[in-house]
Amino acid sequence: MKKVYIILVLLLSGIVAFATDDKALEDEATKMYQEGNYQKAIDLYNEILADDMESASIYYNLGNCYYKIGEISRSILNYERALLLKPGDKDAKYNLKLAQQATVDNIKVLPELFLVRWYNAFVTALTADQWAYVSVALFIAFLVMAALFFHATTISLKKSWFTLGIILLLVSIMTIFFATKQYHRVTNRDSGIIMTPSVVVRGAPDNSGTELFMVHEGLKVQVIGSLGDWYNVRLADGNEGWIAKTDLEKI
C-alpha cells in the first residue's frame, strides 16, 4: 500500500511540474509578444502545443504573432483553431475577419436557409463541455420535478410538475445532442486552410488531372475526402476538386 501511495505522489508531482513548466513557457511567450519578439513567442507557443497543451488562448495568441510578422495564412489557421475550441470568442472572430481581408480569394458563400443559419449559430454558441454542463443541470432539474410530482398533494400540482419535468428532460436530451455535435466538430476537423501562395485545384487526384480553378493561401475549405497524397475539397461556393495534401493544413 505504501508503494502505491508513493507512486501516486510521484505521478501527481510530475503532472504539477509539467503544468507549471507550460505555464512558465506561456508567461515567457506573452512577455516576448509584448516586447515585439514575435518569432520567439511563436517558438514558445508551438513548444507548448507540442506537449499536447492545446487551448483556445494559445491558438489566439499564436494567431496574433503570425499576423504581426505577416504570415496571414498561419494567423487564419490559428484563429480558426481558437474558435473551434471556443466558438464564442469575439476577439478571435474579429481578428479572423481582419486577417481574411488580406487574402486574395473572394468566394461567394452559398446562401443557407435562415433556420439552418440560426441552428448553426445556436449550437456553436457554447463548447461541447459547456453544453454537457447545461445538460447535466437540466437533468438534475428534471429529477427535482419528478420528486415534486410524486410528493404533490393535488392533481393540478402533479400536472404542472409533470409538464415542466417532461420539458426539462426533452431540452436536456437536446443539449446532449448539441454537445455531441460540438465534440465531433473538434475531433473530426474536416476543414483546412490553404497554406501555399497559389494552388491549382484539379479534377482528379493526380498532377495530370484537369485544371479546374486556382485558389490562394488563407482560404478555408472543407475536406470531403482523401486519396493517397491528395485531398478532395469543397469551397464555400460549392465548387469541388483535388489538391495536394502538402498545400493544406487541417484546422
Side-chain angles (χ1 to χ4, degrees):
M1 185 69 182
K2 186 177 180 180
K3 288 183 178 179
V4 174
Y5 175 76
I6 292 172
I7 291 171
L8 286 173
V9 170
L10 290 173
L11 284 173
L12 288 172
S13 300
I15 291 170
V16 170
F18 185 73
T20 303
D21 289 343
D22 281 329
K23 182 64 170 63
L25 281 176
E26 188 171 357
D27 290 342
E28 180 65 17
T30 301
K31 181 182 177 183
M32 292 296 101
Y33 176 83
Q34 291 171 345
E35 293 177 357
N37 192 346
Y38 304 121
Q39 187 56 58
K40 180 62 177 177
I42 288 170
D43 294 338
L44 290 171
Y45 283 128
N46 280 323
E47 189 176 339
I48 297 171
L49 292 172
D51 290 334
D52 293 328
M53 297 297 290
E54 187 179 48
S55 74
S57 63
I58 290 176
Y59 282 131
Y60 172 74
N61 292 334
L62 195 52
N64 289 339
C65 290
Y66 278 120
Y67 185 82
K68 288 291 187 180
I69 64 173
E71 293 194 26
I72 301 302
S73 57
R74 292 216 163 267
S75 70
I76 291 173
L77 175 68
N78 284 282
Y79 290 142
E80 288 281 7
R81 285 174 173 171
L83 288 169
L84 192 65
L85 299 180
K86 190 179 179 182
D89 192 329
K90 293 181 179 179
D91 290 334
K93 286 181 179 180
Y94 177 81
N95 286 6
L96 173 61
K97 188 176 181 180
L98 199 65
Q100 287 173 333
Q101 290 175 357
T103 60
V104 175
D105 296 310
N106 184 20
I107 305 298
K108 292 183 179 180
V109 181
L110 287 175
E112 288 183 324
L113 290 173
F114 71 95
L115 288 176
V116 174
R117 189 167 61 251
W118 287 355
Y119 166 77
N120 289 331
F122 185 71
V123 173
T124 57
L126 299 176
T127 65
D129 288 344
Q130 289 170 336
W131 278 123
Y133 295 147
V134 172
S135 179
V136 170
L138 289 170
F139 188 74
I140 292 172
F142 159 73
L143 294 178
V144 172
M145 294 303 106
L148 291 172
F149 168 79
F150 286 113
H151 289 86
T153 56
T154 64
I155 297 298
S156 61
L157 279 176
K158 280 184 177 291
K159 286 182 178 180
S160 297
W161 299 138
F162 178 81
T163 302
L164 188 54
I166 291 299
I167 292 172
L168 288 169
L169 179 61
L170 292 175
V171 177
S172 176
I173 293 171
M174 184 173 64
T175 54
I176 290 174
F177 173 76
F178 292 162
T180 304
K181 187 89 172 172
Q182 284 293 73
Y183 174 77
H184 285 310
R185 284 184 69 250
V186 174
T187 54
N188 292 342
R189 305 204 177 194
D190 59 354
S191 296
I193 303 297
I194 301 295
M195 306 304 294
T196 306
S198 59
V199 179
V200 174
V201 181
R202 300 182 179 275
D206 191 276
N207 285 323
S208 61
T210 304
E211 297 184 3
L212 300 178
F213 50 89
M214 184 176 287
V215 293
H216 302 83
E217 63 179 330
L219 181 67
K220 182 180 179 179
V221 297
Q222 183 183 4
V223 178
I224 57 176
S226 65
L227 182 63
D229 296 328
W230 295 78
Y231 281 131
N232 187 199
V233 299
R234 178 184 294 135
L235 275 59
D237 60 4
N239 286 321
E240 298 180 14
W242 294 86
I243 64 171
K245 288 184 177 180
T246 53
D247 293 325
L248 178 143
E249 191 165 341
K250 283 193 173 184
I251 294 169

Coordinates of all heavy atoms in Angstrom, one line a residue, residues 4-5 9 51 56 77 92 124 127 147 151 175 189 225 245:
V4 N 2.2 2.0 -3.5 CA 1.2 2.6 -4.3 C 1.0 4.1 -4.0 O 0.9 4.9 -4.9 CB -0.2 1.9 -4.1 CG1 -1.3 2.6 -4.9 CG2 -0.1 0.4 -4.6
Y5 N 1.1 4.4 -2.7 CA 0.9 5.8 -2.3 C 2.1 6.6 -2.8 O 1.9 7.7 -3.3 CB 0.9 5.9 -0.8 CG 0.9 7.3 -0.2 CD1 -0.2 8.0 -0.3 CD2 2.1 7.8 0.3 CE1 -0.2 9.3 0.2 CE2 2.1 9.1 0.8 CZ 0.9 9.9 0.8 OH 1.0 11.1 1.3
V9 N 1.9 9.8 -5.5 CA 2.5 11.1 -5.1 C 3.5 11.5 -6.2 O 3.5 12.7 -6.6 CB 3.3 11.0 -3.8 CG1 4.1 12.3 -3.6 CG2 2.3 10.8 -2.6
D51 N 3.5 19.8 -26.5 CA 3.3 19.0 -25.3 C 1.8 18.6 -25.1 O 1.4 18.2 -24.0 CB 3.7 19.8 -24.0 CG 5.2 19.9 -23.9 OD1 6.0 19.0 -24.5 OD2 5.7 20.9 -23.3
A56 N -7.6 27.4 -26.5 CA -8.1 28.5 -27.4 C -7.2 29.7 -27.2 O -6.9 30.4 -28.2 CB -9.6 28.8 -27.1
L77 N -5.2 30.2 -39.7 CA -5.3 28.8 -39.2 C -5.5 28.8 -37.7 O -6.3 28.0 -37.2 CB -4.0 28.1 -39.7 CG -3.9 26.6 -39.2 CD1 -4.9 25.7 -39.8 CD2 -2.5 26.1 -39.4
A92 N -11.3 36.6 -31.2 CA -10.8 35.7 -32.3 C -11.6 35.9 -33.6 O -11.0 35.9 -34.7 CB -10.9 34.3 -31.8
T124 N -23.1 26.4 -32.0 CA -21.7 26.8 -31.8 C -21.5 27.9 -30.8 O -20.4 28.4 -30.6 CB -21.1 27.3 -33.2 OG1 -21.9 28.3 -33.7 CG2 -21.1 26.1 -34.2
T127 N -19.2 25.5 -26.1 CA -18.4 24.4 -26.4 C -19.1 23.1 -26.0 O -20.1 23.1 -25.4 CB -17.1 24.5 -25.6 OG1 -17.4 24.4 -24.2 CG2 -16.4 25.9 -25.9
A147 N -39.4 14.4 -8.3 CA -39.7 14.3 -6.9 C -40.9 15.1 -6.4 O -41.7 14.7 -5.6 CB -38.4 14.8 -6.1
H151 N -44.6 13.9 -4.8 CA -45.0 14.4 -3.4 C -46.1 15.5 -3.5 O -46.5 16.0 -2.5 CB -43.8 15.0 -2.7 CG -42.8 13.9 -2.3 ND1 -41.8 13.5 -3.1 CD2 -42.7 13.3 -1.1 CE1 -41.1 12.5 -2.5 NE2 -41.6 12.4 -1.3
T175 N -29.7 19.2 -25.5 CA -28.4 19.7 -25.3 C -27.3 18.7 -25.3 O -26.2 19.0 -25.6 CB -28.4 20.4 -23.9 OG1 -28.8 19.5 -22.9 CG2 -29.2 21.7 -23.9
R189 N -12.5 17.6 -37.4 CA -11.7 18.7 -38.1 C -11.6 18.5 -39.6 O -10.5 18.2 -40.1 CB -10.3 18.7 -37.5 CG -10.3 18.9 -35.9 CD -9.0 19.5 -35.4 NE -9.2 19.7 -33.9 CZ -8.4 20.5 -33.2 NH1 -7.4 21.1 -33.8 NH2 -8.6 20.6 -31.9
G225 N -12.9 14.3 -48.6 CA -12.4 13.0 -48.9 C -10.9 13.1 -49.1 O -10.3 14.2 -49.2
K245 N -2.0 17.3 -50.4 CA -2.1 17.4 -49.0 C -1.1 18.4 -48.5 O -1.3 19.0 -47.4 CB -1.9 16.0 -48.3 CG -3.1 15.1 -48.5 CD -2.9 13.8 -47.7 CE -4.1 12.9 -47.9 NZ -4.0 11.6 -47.1

